[in-house]
């Protein structure tokens, strides 16, 4: 992740309703350090890289949770459709590809994808944007 992206995420986090207690509990960053950032006594540029990464990751998790809460039914339907897609993959008979090996690799791919909630939510967000058009 690029540093300007992380800085943007931290700025959004600071202007959100997240409390210092939530940040401290989830990241280990003290409430006072978070409030110093929030009230401007410490600038984002002055904090160490580890703290920047923790805050940016915390912001990502908050966005993910909000996405899931807001769109729970649609998200679950989206994931179910992805699972169906994985089981419905057809391989052209004229291809020289090994069907069994291909199916196994695709199953591994979908299994890995399910474990990466950030990826699934990113795909869901992309779907929602495209569905608006």
């Amino acid at each position: 992740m690029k540093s300007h992206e992380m800085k943007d995420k931290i700025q959004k986090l600071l202007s959100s309703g997240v409390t210092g207690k939530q940040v401290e509990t989830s990241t280990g960053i003290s409430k006072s350090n978070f409030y110093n950032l929030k009230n401007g006594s410490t600038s984002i540029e002055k904090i160490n890289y580890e703290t920047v990464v923790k805050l940016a990751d915390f912001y990502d998790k908050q966005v993910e949770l909000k996405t899931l809460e807001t769109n729970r039914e649609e998200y679950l339907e989206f994931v179910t459709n992805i699972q169906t897609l994985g089981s419905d993959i057809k391989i052209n008979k004229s291809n020289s590809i090994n069907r069994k090996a291909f199916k196994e690799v695709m199953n591994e791919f979908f299994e890995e994808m399910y474990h990466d909630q950030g990826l699934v939510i990113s795909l869901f967000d992309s779907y929602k944007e495209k569905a608006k058009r």
Side-chain angles (χ1 to χ4, degrees):
M1 187 178 335
K2 297 177 182 167
S3 62
H4 72 279
E5 290 173 352
M6 288 191 284
K7 183 179 177 182
D8 289 345
K9 289 178 181 186
I10 293 170
Q11 287 172 330
K12 289 176 184 175
L13 181 65
L14 294 173
S15 63
S16 74
V18 170
T19 67
K21 176 126 175 95
Q22 290 172 302
V23 170
E24 185 175 61
T25 302
S26 296
T27 67
I29 297 167
S30 73
K31 291 184 285 192
S32 61
N33 285 344
F34 180 72
Y35 286 122
N36 286 338
L37 281 168
K38 196 166 181 143
N39 68 25
S41 21
T42 302
S43 72
I44 296 171
E45 291 79 14
K46 300 262 191 231
I47 59 178
N48 68 41
Y49 184 74
E50 181 183 349
T51 301
V52 168
V53 171
K54 284 181 181 180
L55 289 171
D57 287 347
F58 179 75
Y59 172 80
D60 286 340
K61 286 184 182 17
Q62 294 303 303
V63 169
E64 289 173 10
L65 289 172
K66 186 173 182 167
T67 298
L68 292 178
E69 288 171 8
T70 306
N71 305 291
R72 182 172 170 69
E73 286 182 31
E74 189 176 7
Y75 174 78
L76 291 174
E77 184 178 350
F78 177 77
V79 170
T80 300
N81 285 330
I82 290 175
Q83 290 169 330
T84 302
L85 173 68
S87 63
D88 286 347
I89 291 176
K90 304 278 189 267
I91 301 169
N92 189 338
K93 290 185 181 193
S94 64
N95 284 343
S96 61
I97 195 163
N98 180 309
R99 286 185 153 94
K100 183 179 179 200
F102 184 79
K103 272 277 210 215
E104 288 175 11
V105 168
M106 291 311 297
N107 286 336
E108 289 172 14
F109 168 78
F110 284 109
E111 186 64 32
E112 284 297 316
M113 187 183 76
Y114 299 135
H115 291 298
D116 185 348
Q117 280 298 308
L119 173 63
V120 177
I121 289 172
S122 177
L123 290 170
F124 179 66
D125 288 341
S126 178
Y127 158 77
K128 288 194 58 76
E129 283 300 313
K130 288 172 177 45
K132 287 179 187 176
R133 297 186 215 157

